[in-house]
C-alpha cells in the first residue's frame, strides 16, 4: 500500500512536471516555432530580404536599428511598424524614428510570408529575423532566433520620444535605459557595436561640433583632428548630409567600431560615453586590442537577449495581416 502511494505521488509529480514544461513552452519563445505551421518561414524571410540588401547594403543598418527601436518601446512587439491614424500619433512618427528606413522591406517580407502561410508569422518575428539576416548579409555573425512573438496593438509616439536612448546621452542615462529593459552594462557595450554599420545625420552631431556648451565650442571628448574633418562635411545648419559611423567600412559588419571609439572618434556622444565607465571602457579596449576577439559571439548573445524584451506570446496580442495596421 505504501509503495502504491509512493508511485502515485511520483506519477503525479511527473505529470505536473510535463504540464509545467508545456506551459513554459507555450508562454515563451522557442527555436523552430513555425516548424509545423510555416516550415519555410526563415527561408522565405532570407530570400525576400536578400533582394533588397543585395542592391543596397546600407539597409542592413536601418533594419537592425528598427528592431532595436522596436524592442526598447513596449518590448519586441512590432509597435514601431504601426502607422499613425487621425490624432493617434504612433512610434513611427516620433522624432527619433523619423529617420528609420526599410519599412517597405518589412512589408515585402511579410507579404511573401502571407502568400505562403497566411496569418501565421508575426511582424514582430519578421523584425527579429530580418535584423539577424541583415547583419549576416553584410559580414556579421549568425545567431539562432527564438520565435513565437505576437504583435502588439498599441503604439504611442511620446513613448518612443522619451524612452529611446538618444545619441547625445551620457553613460549614466545609457546604463539606466538599458537596465530599464533588462539589459546589462556589457549588453550596452556590445550592442553599441551595431554602429559599425550605418550613418548619422549631421544635424544629430551639430551641437557637438559647433555649440557643445552653448558657447560655440566643440566637444572636448572628440578627437580634434577628426572634429575638423567632420566640420568640413557637416556645415552648420546642414540637414541633408550624413556621416559614416565607422568611416571606411560602414557597409561591413566588423569590429572597427571599437577602434574608432578608442581613438575618440565615435560619431555620437553616446559612442564617446563608452569611455566614461570602467566596464564599457574595458570592453572597447579589449575589442580594439584583439581585433574583436569576442565581439561576434557577444553580439549574437546580446541580440537574442534584446529580442526577448517584453515579448507577447501565446494568446496575447495578435498576428497582424499587414504590419502597418492592427487587425
Amino acid at each position: 500500500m505504501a509503495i502504491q502511494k509512493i508511485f502515485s505521488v511520483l506519477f503525479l509529480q511527473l505529470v505536473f512536471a510535463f504540464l509545467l514544461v508545456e506551459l513554459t513552452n507555450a508562454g515563451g519563445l522557442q527555436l523552430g516555432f513555425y516548424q509545423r505551421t510555416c516550415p519555410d518561414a526563415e527561408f522565405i524571410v532570407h530570400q525576400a530580404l536578400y533582394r533588397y540588401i543585395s542592391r543596397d547594403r546600407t539597409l542592413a543598418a536601418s533594419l537592425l536599428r528598427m528592431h532595436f527601436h522596436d524592442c526598447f518601446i513596449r518590448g519586441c512587439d512590432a509597435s514601431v511598424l504601426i502607422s499613425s491614424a487621425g490624432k493617434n500619433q504612433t512610434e513611427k512618427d516620433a522624432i527619433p524614428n523619423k529617420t528609420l528606413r526599410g519599412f517597405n522591406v518589412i512589408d515585402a517580407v511579410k507579404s511573401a510570408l502571407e502568400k505562403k502561410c497566411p496569418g501565421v508569422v508575426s511582424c514582430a518575428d519578421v523584425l527579429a529575423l530580418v535584423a539577424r539576416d541583415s547583419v549576416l548579409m553584410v559580414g556579421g555573425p549568425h545567431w539562432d532566433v527564438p520565435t513565437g512573438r505576437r504583435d502588439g496593438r498599441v503604439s504611442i509616439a511620446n513613448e518612443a520620444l522619451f524612452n529611446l536612448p538618444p545619441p547625445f546621452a551620457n553613460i549614466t542615462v545609457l546604463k539606466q535605459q538599458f537596465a530599464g529593459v533588462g539589459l546589462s552594462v556589457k549588453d550596452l557595450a556590445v550592442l553599441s557595436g551595431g554602429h559599425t554599420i550605418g550613418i548619422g545625420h549631421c544635424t544629430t552631431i551639430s551641437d557637438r561640433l559647433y555649440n557643445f556648451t552653448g558657447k560655440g565650442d566643440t566637444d572636448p571628448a572628440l578627437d580634434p583632428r577628426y572634429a575638423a574633418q567632420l566640420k568640413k562635411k557637416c556645415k552648420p545648419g546642414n540637414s541633408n548630409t550624413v556621416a559614416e559611423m565607422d568611416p571606411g567600412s560602414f557597409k561591413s559588419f566588423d569590429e572597427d567600431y571599437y577602434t574608432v571609439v578608442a581613438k575618440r572618434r565615435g560619431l555620437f556622444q553616446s559612442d564617446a560615453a563608452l569611455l566614461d565607465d570602467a566596464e564599457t571602457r574595458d570592453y572597447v579596449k579589449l575589442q580594439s586590442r584583439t581585433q574583436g576577439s569576442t565581439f561576434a559571439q557577444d553580439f549574437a548573445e546580446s541580440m537574442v537577449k534584446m529580442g526577448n524584451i517584453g515579448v507577447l506570446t501565446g494568446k496575447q496580442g495578435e498576428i497582424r495581416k499587414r504590419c502597418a495596421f492592427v487587425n
Side-chain angles (χ1 to χ4, degrees):
M1 192 70 177
I3 292 175
Q4 282 182 322
K5 284 184 177 180
I6 290 171
F7 274 111
S8 295
V9 170
L10 288 173
F11 178 75
L12 287 172
Q13 287 178 336
L14 192 61
V15 169
F16 178 75
F18 275 117
L19 283 172
L20 189 62
V21 169
E22 286 300 311
L23 285 170
T24 301
N25 287 341
L29 306 181
Q30 61 188 73
L31 295 175
F33 180 83
Y34 298 111
Q35 190 59 46
R36 292 181 180 179
T37 55
C38 191
D40 293 330
E42 294 199 25
F43 175 74
I44 293 169
V45 170
H46 191 90
Q47 193 175 46
L49 175 65
Y50 182 74
R51 294 191 188 103
Y52 289 87
I53 300 294
S54 61
R55 295 196 301 261
D56 182 5
R57 288 170 66 91
T58 66
L59 278 168
S62 302
L63 294 164
L64 174 61
R65 182 175 174 232
M66 191 183 293
H67 182 42
F68 179 92
H69 281 213
D70 180 49
C71 291
F72 262 70
I73 309 299
R74 293 185 170 267
C76 309
D77 67 346
S79 54
V80 73
L81 302 177
I82 298 174
S83 293
S84 298
K87 293 182 179 180
N88 178 36
Q89 293 293 294
T90 61
E91 294 169 34
K92 188 188 283 190
D93 286 321
I95 291 173
N97 290 333
K98 288 284 190 182
T99 54
L100 285 179
R101 297 167 57 231
F103 291 105
N104 61 316
V105 180
I106 300 299
D107 290 341
V109 172
K110 175 64 171 173
S111 179
L113 287 164
E114 286 296 304
K115 286 178 183 176
K116 184 76 173 180
C117 314
V120 174
V121 182
S122 69
C123 298
D125 276 342
V126 169
L127 276 175
L129 292 167
V130 162
R132 187 270 309 275
D133 286 0
S134 293
V135 168
L136 182 65
M137 288 176 191
V138 294
H142 175 277
W143 59 91
D144 293 325
V145 177
T147 45
R149 297 167 188 78
R150 297 197 30 113
D151 300 323
R153 298 189 180 99
V154 178
S155 184
I156 301 169
N158 277 347
E159 291 183 352
L161 178 61
F162 295 114
N163 295 307
L164 282 172
F168 49 80
N170 61 36
I171 193 64
T172 302
V173 170
L174 290 170
K175 288 166 69 173
Q176 288 173 345
Q177 290 188 305
F178 272 68
V181 293
L183 296 177
S184 68
V185 175
K186 181 181 178 181
D187 292 322
L188 164 59
V190 172
L191 292 174
S192 293
H195 284 178
T196 185
I197 50 176
I199 55 174
H201 287 77
C202 286
T203 49
T204 309
I205 60 170
S206 182
D207 282 349
R208 194 175 186 212
L209 293 176
Y210 296 107
N211 199 28
F212 186 64
T213 63
K215 298 177 181 178
D217 54 341
T218 302
D219 182 0
L222 187 61
D223 172 54
R225 286 171 296 178
Y226 186 51
Q229 291 176 26
L230 287 174
K231 286 179 180 180
K232 290 178 182 178
K233 178 176 285 190
C234 297
K235 302 297 182 182
N238 188 328
S239 59
N240 298 318
T241 307
V242 296
E244 300 169 7
M245 287 196 282
D246 184 358
S249 66
F250 75 106
K251 293 182 182 179
S252 298
F253 196 98
D254 53 35
E255 74 287 345
D256 284 352
Y257 166 81
Y258 294 104
T259 301
V260 168
V261 172
K263 291 179 177 177
R264 296 170 52 218
R265 293 188 167 202
L267 189 64
F268 301 141
Q269 285 172 250
S270 57
D271 297 318
L274 297 179
L275 298 177
D276 295 333
D277 173 84
E279 186 174 351
T280 55
R281 181 171 60 250
D282 286 348
Y283 189 84
V284 168
K285 290 184 176 181
L286 171 67
Q287 302 310 323
S288 176
R289 187 175 66 249
T290 64
Q291 289 75 52
S293 58
T294 67
F295 175 50
Q297 182 62 35
D298 291 341
F299 191 80
E301 291 174 2
S302 289
M303 284 298 293
V304 171
K305 189 174 176 182
M306 186 186 80
N308 287 336
I309 295 172
V311 294
L312 303 175
T313 57
K315 294 183 178 179
Q316 298 172 314
E318 64 184 15
I319 304 296
R320 281 183 228 142
K321 292 182 177 64
R322 290 192 295 164
C323 293
F325 307 96
V326 295
N327 292 342

